[in-house]
Every structure is written in structure tokens, then in C-alpha cells.
């Protein structure tokens, strides 16, 4: 079949790598893609926010199946539009994508269905939000309702920080995303990312991962989209995975179906694992970035039949096989990220680095320029490795980074540290 993948990040490079390896994929096209994806797929320069253009491209190129990477087109209803035009598409409809598109929607769904999550209230004006904050006390968490590209959450340690966050959001600094604000209880515990593939009714657990969100070592500096990840997350024991399926994922699918908006696609649960088990921090309606990079390295089975089964409602007796070995990825970002950064610097040594056994390099913001690969975004490369232990995967990833010559980039040197300390303790 002819498959079209939408997106241009490291997540999409990992998906392209896995899809291109499928015997079902006769031809893979990616729009808009990046320099790394160009090694796996033909690139098409399409504006993926222009749904009519995507439909016209699919018709002109006999596309059989579309896989949507990022959340913005999902929340904007690209699945409804493509399916409406008769094109099979992997991912949730606009109504189902509210699980990521509106935090208030998801919080109410949790409250109405006894899904464990932080206690909260929704607000459309600053004064009542601030009253609630003063009543609850700090630490407390303030969130913009809508999509805010990772900038919509303030974990406030003091009342003043929380009240400033409320003012910032209602002042419109996050645009439309801040027209409504959710204030919620601060949850203590260990975070994990959990992924389930859903077909409207059934869900199968994929794998778990842990992400490193802060820009600098020892979790210092600003929040980012993610500076590294590893899979599996040790805190997600078999029992914790089962509880997450039973207490969070499956009740969500039942509630979405009952509402007339069944959820198909990958459901990414951001979890806080505390003394009482898993609580939902938030849902994303797409694969995680950079978690997908490590998930795809560990996936033994063909991805394409799983994505098709999700779309077709056929996951009931589906099974996926995984390599037990852990995988780890270190993000190389442009100096200045997540703030302002330059584009266009040349990156060398990639082939050498990728030559290390078990190493795979997935590109995020890169561009092919003449014979060179140049930086073209904030997060630029994902240097990934699989090994017998997290320590081995980490050693391989950093050995690969040592071969990459890119003075304008930076990366964290402690990806996987907690998991490696755990490995040492249990050895
Ligand atoms: P989100 O964009 O909702 O994933 O939030 C970004 C980060 O803020 C999460 O990964 C957590 O580290 C933190 N966070 C969000 N909500 C809470 C909460 N209720 N309690 C503690 N930390 C939180
Ligand atoms: N790594 C977190 C995310 O994809 O949102």
C-alpha cells in the first residue's frame, strides 16, 4: 500500500523508519519531513494544516493510508476530513482529540468516570481562580485549557507564582489556549509515559517510557518538549500497567464511546505514580516525542498492521511483540533552545556515529543542504541506542554523540541516570 506520514520531527523519523521496514509499505511518503526522514521516505512539501491540499495530494498519489504524527492537525479535525473524503487515516477524530485539545474536557471526563487524577476546578476569570488558589494553598498547578505547545503548565511553588500564572494566561499570552484555566492539586510521585493503541472499543498496551523534560542536567532549567527518554520505565511494573489499563485507559474508552466520540489512535497517558498507584496528569492523542524513538527501537512486530487494526476497530485479539532490551535516546538541541536559537549550522559525523552497533539516529529539526545536513529547529537530533541494560544503551548513545561534530548543539549528560542507579542497586 501507499502510505502518507504527516509531520517532521524525531517522532516521525522513528515512525517512518518502522513503517518503511514493513512488507505492507510499497511506498512511503512524508510531508513535510526532514533530512533523516528523506532516507526512509519520499518527501512532499505539503502544508499539513491545509486539509484540502492533503486530500488532493492523497487522491493524486493513490494514497491508501495516512498516519498523522502531531496533535495540531488531529485537534483541527484532519482525520474527519480525510476519512470524509474516503481516505483511511490513523488517529482520533476531532471530537476524540479533545482529550488533548481541552484539559477541562479531560478533567471533567475523569471526574464523571472516577478516573484517578489531581483534584481541580475550571475557571474562565481570574478572580475566582485566585480565590480557589488561596483556599487550596501552594504548591499548586495552573494550566491553560487549550494547546499551548508545552508552555501551558505552571507548577507553582508559591501562591504568588500561581496567581501570576493565572494573570499571564488570562492576559492572552498563550492566545486562545488560555481563555479557560484549570487549577489543580500538585501530585507527588514519579512520572511515567504510558502508551496504549486503541480502536474505539479495545486497547492494547504498547510500552512505557520516561522522559526528561528540563533543558539541563539534574532537571535544571526550563521545561522543553523532552531532552531524552528511555523505555521501559522501571516504575511501570506489570501490576502498574494493568492498573493503568483498568483504572484509566479502559474507562476513558468507555466514556468516549458513550459520548458518541469513540477514541481510535494512540492514547498517551502522562502519569504520576504515587503511593496510591497511577494518576492521570494529562492525555496526549498522539505518540510522544522523544518517547516514540525508543518505543520503535524496542518494537519487534510490524507497526503497520497495528495502525490499520486501530483504524479498522480490529484490535480485540491483536498482539505486538517487543524486545525486552531497554532503549534510550539523547536529544541534541540547538544552543538557546527552548528559547531563541539559530538555524543553518552544519552537522558532521552522523554516518560515523550511526555505525556503532545498536545505535540509530533519528532526525528532528534537520534539513539537507547540498551535501550537508544542517540544523533547522530547536530539537535537532535524537541519538538512540538499544542495549542489554539502560547503562549499556546510555554508553552507546553517548559514544555516538562523541562522534558527532556540531559545535552549535547541546545535550544533557544524565539521560537515564535514575534507571541506571536502580540497575546498580538491584545488581
Ligand atoms: P503537562 O503538559 O500537563 O504534561 O505538564 C507538564 C509537566 O508539569 C508534567 O510533566 C509534570 O512534570 C508537571 N505537572 C503537571 N501537572 C502536575 C500536577 N498536577 N502535579 C505535579 N506536577 C504536574
Ligand atoms: N515527550 C512528551 C510529549 O511528547 O508530549
Amino acid at each position: 500500500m501507499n502510505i502518507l506520514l504527516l509531520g517532521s520531527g524525531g517522532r516521525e523519523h522513528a515512525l517512518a523508519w518502522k513503517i518503511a521496514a514493513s512488507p505492507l509499505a510499497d511506498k512511503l511518503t512524508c510531508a513535510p519531513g526532514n533530512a533523516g526522514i528523506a532516507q526512509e521516505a519520499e518527501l512532499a512539501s505539503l502544508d499539513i494544516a491545509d486539509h484540502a491540499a492533503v486530500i488532493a495530494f492523497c487522491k493524486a498519489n493513490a494514497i491508501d493510508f495516512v498516519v498523522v504524527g502531531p496533535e495540531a492537525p488531529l485537534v483541527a479535525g484532519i482525520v474527519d476530513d480525510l476519512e470524509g473524503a474516503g481516505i483511511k487515516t490513523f488517529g482520533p477524530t476531532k471530537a476524540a482529540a479533545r482529550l488533548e485539545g481541552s484539559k477541562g474536557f479531560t478533567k471533567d471526563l475523569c471526574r464523571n468516570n472516577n478516573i484517578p487524577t489531581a483534584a481541580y476546578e475550571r475557571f474562565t476569570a481570574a478572580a475566582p481562580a485566585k480565590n480557589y488558589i488561596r483556599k487550596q494553598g501552594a504548591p499548586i498547578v495552573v494550566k491553560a485549557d487549550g494547546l499551548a505547545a508545552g508552555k501551558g503548565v505552571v507548577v507553582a511553588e508559591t501562591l504568588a507564582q500561581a496567581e501570576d500564572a493565572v494573570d499571564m494566561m488570562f492576559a492572552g499570552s498563550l492566545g486562545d489556549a488560555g481563555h479557560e484555566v484549570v487549577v489543580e492539586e500538585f501530585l507527588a510521585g514519579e512520572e511515567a509515559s504510558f502508551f496504549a493503541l486503541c480502536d474505539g472499543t479495545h486497547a492494547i498496551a504498547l510500552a512505557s517510557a520516561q522522559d526528561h523534560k528540563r533543558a539541563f542536567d539534574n532537571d535544571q532549567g526550563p521545561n522543553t518538549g523532552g531532552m531524552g527518554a528511555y523505555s521501559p520505565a522501571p516504575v511501570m511494573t506489570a501490576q502498574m500497567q494493568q492498573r493503568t489499563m483498568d483504572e484509566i485507559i479502559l474507562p476513558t474508552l468507555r466514556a468516549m464511546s458513550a459520548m458518541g466520540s469513540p477514541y481510535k489512535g494512540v492514547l498517551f497517558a502522562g502519569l504520576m505514580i504515587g503511593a496510591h498507584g497511577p494518576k492521570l496528569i494529562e492525555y496526549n492523542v498522539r505518540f510522544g516525542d522523544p518517547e516514540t524513538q525508543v518505543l520503535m527501537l524496542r518494537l519487534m512486530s510490524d507497526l503497520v498492521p497495528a495502525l490499520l487494526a486501530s483504524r479498522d476497530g480490529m484490535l480485540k485479539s491483536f498482539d505486538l511483540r517487543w524486545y525486552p532490551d531497554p532503549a534510550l535516546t539523547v536529544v541534541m538541541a540547538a544552543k538557546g533552545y527552548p528559547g531563541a536559537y539559530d538555524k543553518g549550522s552544519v552537522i558532521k559525523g552522523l554516518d560515523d556515529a550511526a555505525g556503532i552497533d545498536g545505535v540509530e539516529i533519528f532526525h528532528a529539526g534537520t534539513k539537507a543542504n547540498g551535501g550537508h545536513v544542517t540544523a533547522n529547529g530547536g530539537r535537532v537530533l535524537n541519538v538512540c541506542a538499544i542495549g542489554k541494560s539502560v547503562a549499556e544503551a546510555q554508553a552507546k548513545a553517548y559514544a555516538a554523540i562523541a562522534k558527532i561534530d556540531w559545535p552549535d548543539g547541546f545535550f544533557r549528560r544524565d539521560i537515564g541516570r535514575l534507571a541506571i542507579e536502580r540497575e546498580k542497586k538491584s545488581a
Side-chain angles (χ1 to χ4, degrees):
M1 58 184 1
N2 292 329
I3 301 177
L4 172 65
L5 171 66
L6 302 181
S8 61
R11 163 183 54 211
E12 285 78 19
H13 189 184
L15 291 172
W17 176 76
K18 203 57 198 162
I19 293 171
S22 169
L24 291 175
D26 297 310
K27 181 171 179 196
L28 175 63
T29 308
C30 182
N34 63 38
I37 297 174
Q39 294 161 15
E40 311 289 350
E42 193 168 290
L43 301 191
S45 63
L46 262 176
D47 173 6
I48 65 174
D50 181 348
H51 300 182
V54 177
I55 292 170
F57 180 88
C58 291
K59 297 235 151 124
N61 293 277
I63 298 294
D64 302 295
F65 189 44
V66 178
V67 178
V68 185
E71 63 277 16
L74 294 168
V75 171
I78 197 165
V79 171
D80 311 61
D81 291 343
L82 287 168
E83 289 280 353
I87 301 155
K88 278 192 180 198
T89 307
F90 171 77
T93 60
K94 182 173 181 168
R98 282 178 295 173
L99 285 173
E100 178 165 358
S102 167
K103 295 198 190 288
F105 171 82
T106 300
K107 296 298 290 189
D108 286 353
L109 181 134
C110 289
R111 181 180 278 168
N112 295 337
N113 295 278
N114 294 318
I115 295 169
T117 189
Y120 73 101
E121 287 301 330
R122 300 172 70 168
F123 299 96
T124 50
K130 290 183 185 175
N131 279 338
Y132 179 76
I133 287 170
R134 281 185 224 117
K135 216 167 72 200
Q136 298 299 314
I140 194 155
V141 183
V142 180
K143 299 186 172 183
D145 180 72
L147 288 187
K151 298 185 181 73
V153 175
V154 174
V155 179
E157 276 155 32
T158 63
L159 290 179
Q161 278 172 3
E163 292 185 28
D164 285 351
V166 167
D167 284 334
M168 175 274 283
M169 288 177 193
F170 282 122
S173 67
L174 299 173
D176 242 14
H179 72 276
E180 184 180 326
V181 163
V182 172
V183 180
E184 69 176 37
E185 168 200 7
F186 173 83
L187 297 175
E190 184 169 347
E191 283 188 70
S193 305
F194 181 76
F195 298 85
L197 195 63
C198 308
D199 73 355
T201 313
H202 314 100
I204 57 171
L206 298 179
S208 63
Q210 241 149 2
D211 182 7
H212 295 62
K213 287 190 200 284
R214 301 295 198 98
F216 309 127
D217 288 3
N218 298 316
D219 294 328
Q220 300 296 305
N223 257 324
T224 71
M227 292 300 291
Y230 54 91
S231 172
V235 69
M236 290 304 286
T237 57
Q239 187 221 4
M240 213 50 86
Q241 293 212 23
Q242 194 58 50
R243 285 190 60 182
T244 303
M245 289 298 279
D246 295 343
E247 296 169 24
I248 298 179
I249 304 287
L250 292 171
T252 299
L253 291 195
R254 288 194 290 271
M256 294 302 287
S257 281
M259 236 182 269
S261 41
Y263 188 89
K264 291 182 176 188
V266 68
L267 192 52
F268 164 2
L271 302 173
M272 188 68 85
I273 311 297
H276 300 292
K279 286 194 176 179
L280 182 71
I281 298 177
E282 62 155 4
Y283 273 133
N284 297 301
V285 298
R286 39 133 186 119
F287 282 102
D289 189 344
E291 290 94 330
T292 304
Q293 289 80 314
V294 284
L295 252 52
M296 291 304 115
L297 273 189
R298 295 190 55 227
L299 180 60
M300 190 187 292
S301 303
D302 188 346
L303 177 66
V304 175
L307 301 181
L308 285 166
S310 158
R311 187 269 173 197
D312 291 338
M314 298 295 281
L315 283 175
K316 186 163 188 248
S317 45
F318 207 89
D319 194 25
L320 282 173
R321 305 193 63 189
W322 300 85
Y323 295 107
D325 297 353
L328 178 141
T329 181
V330 181
V331 170
M332 295 184 81
K335 281 182 186 160
Y337 173 80
Y341 51 81
D342 291 331
K343 292 182 179 178
S345 53
V346 175
I347 303 165
K348 293 185 193 149
L350 289 171
D351 289 343
D352 238 14
I356 298 176
D357 186 42
V359 167
E360 212 46 69
I361 298 177
F362 294 126
H363 293 215
T366 68
K367 202 168 154 182
N369 255 336
H372 297 294
V373 170
T374 57
N376 193 44
R379 290 190 293 174
V380 171
L381 294 168
N382 298 267
V383 182
C384 313
I386 189 158
K388 289 286 165 219
S389 61
V390 180
E392 188 184 301
Q394 189 206 49
K396 286 182 182 185
Y398 284 117
I401 284 183
K403 292 182 182 285
I404 295 175
D405 175 11
W406 179 38
D408 288 15
F410 79 99
F411 57 91
R412 279 181 59 162
R413 291 171 194 273
D414 64 345
I415 303 301
R417 186 173 52 84
L418 284 178
I420 292 169
E421 281 168 13
R422 269 201 175 95
E423 280 177 346
K424 282 189 190 141
K425 269 191 216 143
S426 64

